[in-house]
């Protein structure tokens, strides 16, 4: 059996939901359907989830909620009438939203989550009703009844391992199970949402639980591209990649799937296929544990900005056992996680994501490192980008670093940092942010230029 | 005034000491002379210091010491008669060595140090006597009387900061001061030696104390070479480099000066010149704080083997604040200092010098990391070399990494690690040891091939 997950744009309108139904009808092995909340119909549209967040904000700050409530219900009404479904469903959804809006606001985060989760929940009810209307046997599945149990806050939200056993029962359902993504419940029955990549994770969890033959992740692109199409003109599609490649690419700016979303599928060795709801005939991008990588060493190139470097130098640092550890400990106490820590003999740089720094915190960190570690020179530099080349074939290809470094040199950009040596599937270059676009294009040209360019 | 330090080969025989005297006579600003113990006269010769270590070992293990004692005295006798000095000096040296040999053996380390230090001490007495005999006003200086005060064990041996004041008085000596290198005394009068680079450090300390215009370090080569002459055929000389370049080169295998030896001169901004006792007319290699680096971006290339890599991977490692710190803490508890720590998203490698690992310790570290950090995959790999390109001009040269990586690729070697990003004067490549020689030669060819090769 297959688990299919549909993203927000695949559920944005009655017309889109009809495409979803066609996709499910076309393959009888598609037995579990995970849905996001209805997304944008057009570029400037507002997603249901964003409407729900505004509604929660209005309620929490004591402002009027009636117009926000009405806007949301109008979206549902348009979908239900477009699908020719009965108005009793609209009443159900309205009553549910009303009850959520008037639930306890004591825990503001929980209140907001409760409202947000209603988007996926309503979406699942809509899709189940429409599939039933087209003559399929389909059923809305409640995550609480199904047993999607999450740990308690404040720990990072994760599925309780014992939940897999109960979720596995979904594979015995006679009807197609339509499952809302993004949320589950704690053991004591309190709603809890996934931090990031919400519905993708739900799909991956269910695919793992039922040991699906395939986890199909339907979105609005034909495939994952080898580089950001907003920067590189018509980048090539990636037809096949490994979990590790996906994760490394996601790390630095690839937005198709959140890097964590595949974890459950990865652990259960369920293959993933990223497909397009609007063009389901396209083969999409397959993601598996292994792949043949003989043809192309580099699978994709991603780039992300917003990095800062903490530079520390101290004479005879390399004599001092524990210096690096103490520096990382200060960052840990400051709640800063680090990305890379290239070291010289008497100096050490720590590269972090800049957004973690609160106002004034960089000065405090510099001061602490200077006094607590008796360092000679300590300073921050900002506005760096990381460009990451990813490919399982890279470790078998001599001269690849040279090609990449030469391509960067052709743009006139300076390589501020290189990190090669731990992960065998990626090569990270630190550059100044203002060089990022040029570097990404040149690297793409170097590794993905059409073959005829070399003739 | 200039401080001159002469290494062991410069003092190995009467003939060599005559060269030293000529050098001192040739420049009246050479007022402080620091000496090593007499070294090797020919390749298979045994240094006085090694004779003294054997003597100490024999004494400590209760073996016969008379033949060892006699061998040492024969060397001194040969020098004294070769220089035409009076035999009373030989009696002095013999009495001193006898007293040291019969001093307390309770602290074996101190006993060995006491014997070893007699080599430099005798050497200073010989040189002072010979300079006097040639008509110069010269005097043996006792480090205890001069105030060369070191901290107490077990801390790493370092000069007490207050010692500089007293040592500064050496500049007012009317006679040329001949000073034994390698040792000093604690505040309570106990002899203490420098761990490494002994006589070089003494020279640098005195040069700093008297604010010398130049610290001349006389050895047996015309200059520092841009690469190891045992690997690269006739490498070019380095005429001028900075302290930082010297230190980065010393780090990975450059044996001319120990990386720490220049610290006091560096701190006091005293320029250093490395010269050849056997060819004092050669200009040597100047080492200063700054230099003009417009002509040649790479100053030297060094390589060192004996590195191991601890590889650790754990899914979602990059989400876990403190993972890197905890890993380094385990190494710190195991008394292992690390060189580099390149990181991927979910993996981290720590590169260490292999000699630190005691038998069985690598297995224990792997086990600790697996259990204490719940890592997925942990293993050691051994037999790596680090190749270091050093040059102040490197940070101003775009494309240099590409050239270096391309050169390495031409040898067919795989780049296992790159560390660029912290120190601005060096670029480190990790490779397999069995590729080291080929890589070093190819990099030398790339950056130092004669200009006509490019015409």
């Amino acid at each position: 059996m297959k688990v299919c997950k549909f993203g927000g744009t695949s559920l944005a309108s009655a017309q889109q939901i009809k495409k979803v139904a066609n996709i499910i009808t076309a393959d009888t092995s598609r037995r579990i359907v995970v849905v996001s909340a209805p997304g944008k119909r057009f570029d400037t549209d507002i997603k249901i989830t964003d409407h729900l967040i505004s509604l929660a904000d209005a309620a929490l700050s004591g402002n009027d909620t009636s117009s926000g409530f009405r806007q949301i219900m109008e979206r549902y009404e348009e979908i239900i009438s477009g699908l020719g479904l009965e108005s009793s469903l609209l009443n159900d959804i309205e009553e549910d939203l009303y009850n959520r809006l008037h639930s306890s606001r004591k825990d503001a985060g929980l209140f907001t989550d409760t409202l947000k989760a209603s988007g996926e929940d309503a979406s699942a009810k809509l899709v189940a009703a429409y599939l039933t209307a087209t003559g399929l046997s389909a059923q809305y599945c409640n995550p609480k009844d199904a047993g999607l149990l999450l740990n308690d806050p404040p720990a990072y939200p994760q599925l309780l391992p014992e939940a897999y056993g109960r979720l596995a029962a979904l594979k015995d359902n006679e009807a197609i199970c339509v499952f809302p993504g993004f949320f589950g419940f704690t053991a004591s029955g309190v709603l809890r949402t996934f931090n990031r990549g919400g519905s993708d994770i739900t799909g991956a969890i269910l695919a793992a639980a039922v040991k699906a033959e395939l986890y199909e992740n339907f979105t609005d692109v034909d495939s994952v591209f080898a580089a950001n199409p907003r920067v590189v003109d018509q980048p090539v599609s990636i037809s096949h990649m490994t979990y590790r490649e996906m994760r490394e690419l996601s790390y630095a700016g690839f937005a198709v799937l959140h890097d964590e979303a595949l974890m459950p599928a990865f652990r259960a060795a369920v293959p993933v296929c990223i497909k397009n709801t609007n063009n389901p005939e396209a083969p999409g991008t397959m993601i598996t544990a292994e792949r043949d990588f003989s043809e192309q060493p580099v699978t994709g190139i991603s780039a992300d900005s917003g990095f800062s470097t903490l530079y520390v130098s101290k004479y005879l640092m390399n004599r001092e056992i524990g210096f690096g550890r103490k520096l990382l400990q200060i960052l840990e106490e400051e709640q800063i996680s680090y990305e890379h820590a290239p070291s010289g003999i008497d100096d050490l740089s720590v590269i972090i994501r800049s957004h973690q720094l609160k106002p004034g915190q960089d000065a405090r960190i510099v001061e602490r490192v200077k006094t607590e570690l008796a360092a000679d020179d300590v300073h921050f530099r900002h506005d760096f980008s990381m460009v990451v080349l990813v490919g399982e074939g890279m470790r078998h290809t001599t001269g690849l670093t040279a090609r990449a470094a030469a391509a960067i040199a052709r743009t006139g950009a300076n390589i501020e940092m290189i990190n090669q040596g731990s992960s065998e599937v990626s090569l990270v270059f630190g550059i100044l942010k203002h060089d990022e676009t040029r570097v990404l294009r040149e690297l793409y040209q170097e590794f993905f230029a059409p073959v005829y360019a070399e003739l």
Side-chain angles (χ1 to χ4, degrees), chain A residues 310-324:
Chain A
L310 173 64
Y311 173 87
V312 181
S313 78
K314 179 179 181 181
Y315 194 76
L316 294 187
M317 180 191 289
N318 83 325
R319 173 76 31 80
E320 204 174 322
I321 290 192
F323 190 93

Side-chain angles (χ1 to χ4, degrees), chain A residues 11 54 88 106 138 153 198 224-225 253 271 275 284 302 305 329 338 341 352 377 406 412 414-415:
Chain A
L11 302 151
S54 302
S88 65
K106 223 163 50 188
V224 179
F225 297 111
K275 288 181 74 76
S302 59
S305 58
Q329 182 129 31
Y338 79 99
I352 65 168
D377 182 15
N414 196 33
I415 298 171

